[in-house]
Amino acid sequence: METTSPALVMLPGLLNDQRLWAYQAQALAGEREVQIADLSRDDSITAMAHRVLENAPPRFALAALSMGGYVAFEVLRQAPERVERLALFDTMASLDSAERAATRRGLLELAQRGRFIGVSPQLMPRLIHARWLDSEVSRTVQQMAIAVGKEGFIRQQRAIIHRPDSLPTLAGIRVPTLIVVGADDQLTPVAEARLMHERIAGSRLEVLPECGHLPPLEAPERSLALLREWLLA
């Protein structure tokens, strides 16, 4: 479809695929070119960002969730002139705490030994709000994880563990920036979103009630409305 609107590139998170953004991408595709990147093929944030830039239009708006946010910050380091605006969903610029890094290494070890079951029932309540447990949302989360698979998970966890600190990147961001976080996100909590909001000049912060780590699935209509407002700002 011919359009003069800026293209939109969307980045999923750990163990996510195009289904994470499917509702928003389908709604916005009639207005602009929309790409959802595959972040399961590389084992470093640098390589993931390079692949995104290779496949993206010359200039684009960039929306990212969780691990996708780490990649978005690297895209900005590699080619800031190509990014027209930025939307950060449930991510953080800080490095992991020592405890969280140890947990990641433990999960990576288990997967390397062959013990990979996607998203376990024990982990699901940390990913999504309780109201979505045993729903189509939770089933989609599990389906995405199985599709990314063990090898994809290993590559992604290696990339996350060795990612650079993105806090120094924030002060240099000068494009319209939307920051969205679920009020009940246990993985990248509201405090991390507020830290990014404080350090990115002119950014907008939205905290979504009764929502966990995956607003595009848990609050699809509100996420779409926020993206539309951001794209037109």
Side-chain angles (χ1 to χ4, degrees), residues 21-96:
W21 293 111
Y23 180 86
Q24 295 79 24
Q26 183 176 4
L28 294 168
E31 305 164 15
R32 66 194 69 245
E33 178 186 352
V34 179
Q35 292 183 7
I36 304 176
D38 178 0
L39 300 183
S40 67
R41 300 166 64 187
D42 300 292
D43 64 359
S44 77
I45 297 297
T46 300
M48 290 176 181
H50 181 73
R51 190 184 296 274
V52 168
L53 287 164
E54 274 194 328
N55 292 306
R59 286 182 60 79
F60 53 91
L62 184 61
L65 181 139
S66 195
M67 180 191 73
Y70 312 153
V71 178
F73 293 133
E74 181 62 26
V75 166
L76 285 167
R77 285 189 287 268
Q78 291 186 21
E81 73 285 353
R82 294 180 60 184
V83 179
E84 294 191 353
R85 56 192 65 226
L86 178 68
L88 300 168
F89 281 66
D90 296 78
T91 190
M92 62 185 194
S94 312
L95 291 175
D96 291 334

Side-chain angles (χ1 to χ4, degrees), residues 53-227:
L53 287 164
E54 274 194 328
N55 292 306
R59 286 182 60 79
F60 53 91
L62 184 61
L65 181 139
S66 195
M67 180 191 73
Y70 312 153
V71 178
F73 293 133
E74 181 62 26
V75 166
L76 285 167
R77 285 189 287 268
Q78 291 186 21
E81 73 285 353
R82 294 180 60 184
V83 179
E84 294 191 353
R85 56 192 65 226
L86 178 68
L88 300 168
F89 281 66
D90 296 78
T91 190
M92 62 185 194
S94 312
L95 291 175
D96 291 334
S97 65
E99 178 184 7
R100 187 166 179 176
T103 299
R104 286 196 193 280
R105 288 192 293 271
L107 291 170
L108 179 58
E109 263 183 54
L110 286 173
Q112 288 170 326
R113 295 206 303 261
R115 294 180 60 187
F116 175 77
I117 60 169
V119 176
S120 69
Q122 293 78 20
L123 179 58
M124 194 69 73
R126 299 195 65 205
L127 275 174
I128 58 177
H129 190 274
R131 66 184 176 137
W132 296 117
L133 297 175
D134 193 25
S135 73
E136 191 59 34
V137 171
S138 62
R139 286 187 282 276
T140 298
V141 170
Q142 183 62 31
Q143 289 163 2
M144 290 192 296
I146 295 301
V148 172
K150 182 184 79 169
E151 295 304 322
F153 174 75
I154 289 171
R155 287 190 288 270
Q156 291 180 338
Q157 280 288 29
R158 282 177 177 158
I160 293 170
I161 288 168
H162 297 293
R163 73 186 188 275
D165 184 359
S166 289
L167 283 175
T169 302
L170 301 182
I173 296 175
R174 293 287 183 266
V175 295
T177 300
L178 169 67
I179 299 168
V180 181
V181 64
D184 303 291
D185 189 342
Q186 298 181 43
L187 298 180
T188 54
V190 174
E192 293 289 346
R194 293 196 189 283
L195 176 61
M196 294 188 296
H197 175 51
E198 290 165 4
R199 298 198 182 191
I200 301 176
S203 61
R204 173 184 177 184
L205 173 63
E206 290 286 336
V207 181
L208 305 187
E210 293 190 303
C211 185
H213 188 61
L214 302 174
L217 294 177
E218 298 178 67
E221 292 183 2
R222 181 61 179 147
S223 295
L224 173 60
L226 288 169
L227 286 170

